[in-house]
Amino acid sequence: MEVREIDLHVKRNFDRWHSFLIEHGISGFAPQETAAIDRTFIWNEAGQIIATGSIAGNILKYIAIDDAYQNGGAMFNQVVSKLMNEAAQLGRFHLFVFTKPKYIKSFSYVGFHLLAEVEDGAVLETGTPDINDYLDQLPKINDQHDKKIAAIVMNANPFTLGHRYLVEKASRENDSVYVFVVSQDVSLFKFDERFKLVKAGTEDLKNVIVVPGKEYMVSYATFPAYFLKDDQNVGRFQAKLDAELFKNKIAAPLNITRRYLGSEPYSKTTDVYNDELSKVLPPEVEVRIIERKKNVGGKIITATQVREAIQRDDLSMIKNFVPETTFDFIKENIGLLKDRF
């Protein structure tokens, strides 16, 4: 048996790999899925692929093994161990895998721990720092389990007066509010910039705690769904999985009993996400959907409009949509921001 790394940019390699995965029930090959792959390995026997697995960032994906070589799990263990060792050589010691529920036990045998499970899929992690380490380092308040704690998850690309309005409302209605800022850098504003703008824009609200979401908050860049059969269900699958993870692994230990969402008149993706959260989180976590704030001209405030105004150099329009702290940052860095488009 031969184990080797292949270059998926070589068409012949990609076609063989693609055909093997199709034969073994994996049919999702969206460009954003395959483009994220760093390394891919295949196991060959007599010139035929009998197993494969890939590393994408700190995610193991596209793992498949021919039925004839299952060997009671020995081949599966070999594939996953190989991927984990290769990831370690890349300095990646905290890993995730998204898989079908029927493979949860297999991954648990090689050291993965379940984070969330829904009908169509599950997400597991291994290594450190894990979710317990993440929770331990979050700021806490006195008598947290006797307080009314709320949460907001936001990308804040950038932080607008609409975001501020949502945080203010949650701040007034609860003893304390966690604002989780999505950590993945897939936005115009980098994570460090977004995090600083949220902190600066809420600094006067003393019961608001701004924290990074790390890998545990929704990010469509890191929630692969390549193993799903129906691409139309991908958005709902991602939202369900994210909601289950939040409810059981984040909200429960932090005593978060309320989650605030902004209404979404424009984005179907966000609307679906809000809908799924409203189904999954209650009764343990009450969902409050707040009507979006409008500016003095009666326009709903969105970060999309701010980003479009940056492209146009329209600082006067931006000023009506963002807090002063965000405006000052944009004004000082508008050239840099425009270069990122």
Side-chain angles (χ1 to χ4, degrees):
M1 183 187 304
E2 176 195 24
V3 183
R4 64 185 178 90
E5 183 177 1
I6 61 169
D7 183 353
L8 292 180
H9 294 99
V10 176
K11 187 177 186 303
R12 180 181 70 257
N13 292 340
F14 182 88
D15 290 345
R16 287 186 68 215
W17 173 80
H18 178 267
S19 296
F20 178 78
L21 289 170
I22 291 280
E23 290 170 7
H24 292 82
I26 294 177
S27 57
F29 297 89
Q32 65 267 27
E33 296 275 13
T34 55
I37 294 174
D38 298 315
R39 305 185 72 181
T40 293
F41 298 88
I42 60 170
W43 281 251
N44 275 323
E45 183 76 49
Q48 299 296 316
I49 298 176
I50 62 170
T52 187
S54 298
I55 302 168
N58 65 342
I59 299 170
L60 306 187
K61 60 197 300 186
Y62 289 110
I63 297 172
I65 300 163
D66 191 274
D67 290 343
Y69 293 85
Q70 294 288 349
N71 300 326
M75 190 68 203
F76 173 86
N77 293 348
Q78 184 182 145
V79 170
V80 176
S81 294
K82 170 70 173 176
L83 295 176
M84 291 174 68
N85 288 336
E86 294 293 338
Q89 290 185 29
L90 295 171
R92 302 168 191 176
F93 301 99
H94 180 213
L95 302 173
F96 292 85
V97 67
F98 299 80
T99 188
K100 296 177 182 178
K102 66 180 181 180
Y103 298 126
I104 291 173
K105 281 189 178 180
S106 297
F107 279 103
S108 68
Y109 291 148
V110 291
F112 280 81
H113 305 285
L114 182 66
L115 289 174
E117 176 186 359
V118 295
E119 182 180 354
D120 297 321
V123 56
L124 302 91
E125 72 171 346
T126 189
T128 56
D130 63 10
I131 188 128
N132 295 315
D133 298 315
Y134 170 69
L135 291 169
D136 287 345
Q137 58 86 35
L138 292 181
K140 312 293 192 303
I141 62 171
N142 293 331
D143 302 318
Q144 182 145 332
H145 283 273
D146 294 322
K147 303 289 187 180
K148 187 183 293 184
I149 312 295
I152 302 170
V153 178
M154 62 175 61
N155 196 31
N157 183 36
F159 187 73
T160 68
L161 289 172
H163 294 112
R164 166 74 191 196
Y165 174 74
L166 190 65
V167 177
E168 280 181 349
K169 186 164 183 62
S171 174
R172 288 194 303 269
E173 296 177 352
N174 299 275
D175 295 318
S176 189
V177 182
Y178 282 99
V179 177
F180 296 94
V181 182
V182 173
S183 296
Q184 284 72 26
D185 269 327
V186 292
S187 307
L188 172 63
F189 289 76
K190 305 298 185 184
F191 166 70
D192 287 346
E193 296 166 351
R194 291 185 286 110
F195 189 79
K196 288 175 183 176
L197 291 177
V198 176
K199 289 207 74 168
T202 59
E203 193 172 18
D204 59 308
L205 304 174
K206 300 308 179 185
N207 65 339
V208 171
I209 306 168
V210 181
V211 296
K214 298 291 187 181
E215 295 98 339
Y216 303 108
M217 300 297 158
V218 65
S219 169
Y220 297 112
T222 58
F223 269 44
Y226 56 85
F227 52 84
L228 298 182
K229 292 181 180 179
D230 185 353
D231 285 347
Q232 293 180 338
N233 290 329
V234 168
R236 289 199 177 274
F237 159 73
Q238 292 169 328
K240 286 178 186 177
L241 200 58
D242 184 63
E244 286 289 348
L245 196 161
F246 179 83
K247 179 169 74 172
N248 297 315
K249 298 296 186 180
I250 305 291
L254 294 177
N255 192 37
I256 293 169
T257 56
R258 186 176 285 172
R259 174 124 170 216
Y260 285 73
L261 309 171
S263 62
E264 187 43 70
Y266 300 130
S267 170
K268 180 63 177 175
T269 299
T270 306
D271 190 46
V272 165
Y273 178 71
N274 286 358
D275 182 53
E276 288 301 329
L277 259 63
S278 298
K279 292 176 182 176
V280 175
L281 293 182
E284 293 88 350
V285 180
E286 176 193 356
V287 174
R288 303 208 62 189
I289 300 179
I290 308 303
E291 287 298 315
R292 298 284 284 269
K293 181 177 175 60
K294 297 178 181 179
N295 70 358
V296 290
K299 288 185 177 181
I300 292 176
I301 296 171
T302 71
T304 300
Q305 290 168 313
V306 175
R307 295 193 299 273
E308 291 171 351
I310 290 171
Q311 282 187 293
R312 300 192 306 267
D313 266 330
D314 191 350
L315 288 172
S316 60
M317 185 267 199
I318 294 169
K319 194 172 182 67
N320 292 323
F321 277 67
V322 300
E324 187 175 348
T325 47
T326 300
F327 179 75
D328 289 342
F329 177 85
I330 292 174
K331 185 177 179 181
E332 292 169 10
N333 296 277
I334 194 161
L336 173 66
L337 293 168
K338 287 178 69 176
D339 287 344
R340 292 177 184 171
F341 282 98

